[in-house]
Amino acid sequence: MSTLRRDFATREALVAYIAQEFPEATGPVSPIRGGRQAALAQLAAIQPETYGDTRNYLDGTVTRLSPYLRHGVLALTEVRDWLQQRRYSWKTAEPLVRQLAWRAYWQTLYDQWGDGIWEDREPYKTGWQPEDYANDLPGDIPDASTGLLCVDSFSRELQDTGYLHNHVRLWLAAYVVHWRRVKWQAGARWFLEHLLDGDPASNNLSWQWVASTFSHKPYYFNQDNLARYSRRRWCEACPHDGRATCPFRGSYEQLARRLFPHADLHRLGTRR
Amino acid sequence: MPTSIVWVHGDSLSPTNPALATYPSAPAVWVWDDELLRAWRISRKRIVFIYECLLELPVEIRRGDVVTEIRAFAQEKGAQKVVTTSSPSPRFQRFCRELAQTLEVEVLPVPALVPVTPGMDLQRFSRYWKVAEKVIYR
Ligand SMILES: Cc1cc2nc3c(=O)[nH]c(=O)nc-3n(C[C@H](O)[C@H](O)[C@H](O)COP(=O)(O)OP(=O)(O)OC[C@H]3O[C@@H](n4cnc5c(N)ncnc54)[C@H](O)[C@@H]3O)c2cc1C
């Protein structure tokens, strides 16, 4: 009989049962809880007033609703309605509603493209060809042994908690695709193993946006950007800080010349 | 004897999802898609999260081949109809087509945040947002 159990006194009992029933699914368990009750508690705690100004900072007031929205535990319209019912002005609500719309947008494209979201939607604008990118993720990235404090910490957080801040996803994806020159699909598959909100549409199309196969130019960053939005959390203790060995050090123009030597610099929009 | 069952899938894990809300007394089922779990190498933390969602839903939890398990559940309950909630996933849509060979299938839509109109420009988010921002908030 293929019916699974529902009677668990504790989370530990549930986790032990899952370990026994799904032995191939390994790794730690996230502190983030599933369920409608947890979703509603998370919704009640959102801070729309400060969201817009702080969302790019790692200590900003992002909602962390993504695992619930991804699995339909909470509908996108419920979050929008919650804001409307509390009479938040459009000016206050707009930044958050816009991010909700990103999810709706990716879902609409998924509906039209189906498994085509796994294919490059457009050519890379990096000056490199698809065959210049490696097929597989280098082992030091999931092993968190690149020696870069920031990247190794992002990798561990992904695998330990199943959640990453949007800015961290952008940095990590850019590192994989542009610094290590790995196909975005390899990074996307890795994220889907671990993200509690792992969703083929939002995930793959965001990776394509970083890679430039679904955008006008590649997304990349420099140390100033990472240090600013993380408030130097990793740079402070990193042996590469202030040295040429930090691969993110330099202006956008310098990095573009190094990462994309065959690309048209003007098209890369290096003036940020 | 009920004539319908509800199939709850991974895009609709709310007790208020349209299928459960419209058919509150129909027996409901969830099926762990063993093939998908393997192919995507889904980690333990993702399974725990989804399982915790399921424990708040009135569903029987099964595993295996999704279409086979839903058919078996429908037969046990004497149902001729499967009710579920829409999803853009091509895998979901394939399951619905397969189920429709032997059962009636009703797919209820999820309320749209942004109504998509024919001919809407989806080339870039900026163009989509120009249309969306006018209708998304009242
Ligand atoms: C490489 C990469 C991979 C990503 N993979 C996923 C994924 O698998 N699943 C996923 O839901 N999001 C993904 N995102 C988008 C975004 O990073 C997360 O939705 C967001 O960080 C979740 O945190 P939050 O709930 O605190 O977001 P908030 O900033 O509080 O936003 C509220 C909600 O809006 C939606 N949202 C916000 N930003 C985006 C965005 N850029 N694209 C789509 N929806 C968005 C999410 O549902 C989110 O919960 C990815 C982004 C990148 C750059």
Side-chain angles (χ1 to χ4, degrees):
Chain A
M1 186 61 209
S2 52
T3 302
L4 271 66
R5 277 177 49 196
R6 302 186 44 109
D7 55 324
F8 301 101
T10 61
R11 191 179 208 219
E12 289 64 41
L14 169 66
V15 171
Y17 179 68
I18 288 172
Q20 170 201 316
E21 282 293 320
F22 301 92
E24 285 170 16
T26 53
V29 170
S30 175
I32 301 168
R33 301 281 175 130
R36 174 79 173 172
Q37 294 311 317
L40 293 177
Q42 196 69 24
L43 178 62
I46 67 173
Q47 293 169 259
E49 294 92 344
T50 49
Y51 177 83
D53 288 339
T54 67
R55 59 175 285 267
N56 287 324
Y57 290 88
L58 301 198
D59 59 3
T61 56
V62 294
T63 66
R64 302 181 66 114
L65 286 173
S66 54
Y68 307 105
L69 291 169
R70 186 270 174 248
H71 286 293
V73 185
L74 199 64
L76 288 172
T77 47
E78 286 184 284
V79 183
R80 189 265 321 270
D81 294 350
W82 188 93
L83 294 165
Q84 272 178 183
Q85 279 155 14
R86 279 158 191 76
R87 305 236 178 278
Y88 284 105
S89 69
W90 173 238
K91 191 167 172 293
T92 304
E94 194 260 0
L96 179 53
V97 174
R98 180 196 291 258
Q99 292 315 116
L100 298 173
W102 271 100
R103 175 168 172 80
Y105 174 64
W106 298 136
Q107 293 281 301
T108 299
L109 293 179
Y110 191 27
D111 203 31
Q112 300 199 350
W113 296 340
D115 288 326
I117 60 166
W118 284 100
E119 290 154 24
D120 297 350
R121 300 309 308 178
E122 299 167 13
Y124 281 91
K125 284 84 175 178
T126 54
W128 301 107
Q129 300 304 311
E131 51 279 13
D132 296 323
Y133 293 83
N135 287 324
D136 299 315
L137 200 63
D140 62 340
I141 299 177
D143 288 349
S145 63
T146 67
L148 304 168
L149 246 51
C150 52
V151 170
D152 291 343
S153 162
F154 303 157
S155 169
R156 272 193 301 269
E157 191 178 353
L158 169 69
Q159 298 178 79
D160 289 347
T161 72
Y163 175 87
L164 291 175
H165 186 282
N166 182 58
H167 224 145
V168 171
R169 298 181 199 212
L170 288 167
W171 294 329
L172 188 51
Y175 174 72
V176 168
V177 177
H178 302 312
W179 271 268
R180 303 297 296 271
R181 216 173 307 133
V182 171
K183 286 200 173 76
W184 66 262
Q185 286 91 339
R189 282 195 300 271
W190 181 47
F191 269 27
L192 288 176
E193 288 176 33
H194 297 290
L195 287 174
L196 300 187
D197 63 32
D199 175 293
S202 290
N203 181 63
N204 290 19
L205 295 169
S206 295
W207 275 90
Q208 300 225 37
W209 186 86
V210 168
S212 74
T213 56
F214 190 51
S215 64
H216 295 302
K217 55 178 196 284
Y219 169 86
Y220 60 108
F221 64 96
N222 65 7
Q223 191 199 354
D224 289 346
N225 175 276
L226 190 147
R228 176 164 171 230
Y229 289 101
S230 67
R231 307 200 196 276
R232 290 188 48 80
R233 193 143 109 210
W234 295 283
C235 299
E236 211 60 63
C238 185
H240 302 289
D241 185 40
R243 296 174 178 227
T245 52
C246 170
F248 311 124
R249 197 168 126 117
S251 68
Y252 280 100
E253 245 144 62
Q254 289 167 325
L255 286 171
R257 255 183 246 118
R258 208 184 309 149
L259 296 172
F260 316 115
H262 312 300
D264 171 359
L265 278 188
H266 181 69
R267 278 199 66 184
L268 293 175
T270 52
R271 281 184 301 267
R272 302 196 185 195
Chain B
M1 267 306 213
T3 57
S4 301
I5 58 160
V6 167
W7 168 34
V8 172
H9 56 71
D11 289 346
S12 64
L13 295 180
S14 168
T16 62
N17 86 42
L20 289 171
T22 313
Y23 292 81
S25 54
V29 65
W30 161 274
V31 186
W32 286 105
D33 184 342
D34 276 336
E35 192 181 88
L36 184 92
L37 293 181
R38 242 193 326 272
W40 289 28
R41 298 161 44 97
I42 294 297
S43 60
R44 180 174 301 165
K45 61 191 160 297
R46 292 202 69 181
I47 295 188
V48 170
F49 180 85
I50 294 170
Y51 217 120
E52 285 176 328
C53 295
L54 295 176
L55 294 179
E56 291 184 32
L57 300 180
V59 291
E60 180 169 309
I61 303 173
R62 296 187 168 224
R63 71 179 299 170
D65 176 72
V66 175
V67 170
T68 307
E69 291 299 320
I70 294 172
R71 283 209 181 108
F73 185 76
Q75 195 167 18
E76 282 166 30
K77 306 294 174 190
Q80 291 82 46
K81 182 168 152 184
V82 183
V83 184
T84 190
T85 313
S86 69
S87 159
S89 154
R91 191 175 177 84
F92 165 80
Q93 289 164 10
R94 180 163 59 86
F95 289 157
C96 286
R97 283 194 299 275
E98 285 177 29
L99 287 168
Q101 289 167 11
T102 56
L103 293 159
E104 187 187 336
V105 178
E106 182 180 0
V107 182
L108 296 171
V110 180
L113 182 70
V114 177
V116 176
T117 48
M120 192 168 174
D121 190 346
L122 298 169
Q123 195 59 37
R124 290 289 185 249
F125 178 79
S126 53
R127 303 188 205 167
Y128 170 86
W129 180 245
K130 267 206 189 93
V131 179
E133 67 175 344
K134 298 203 180 81
V135 295
I136 204 168
Y137 202 74
R138 267 167 285 119

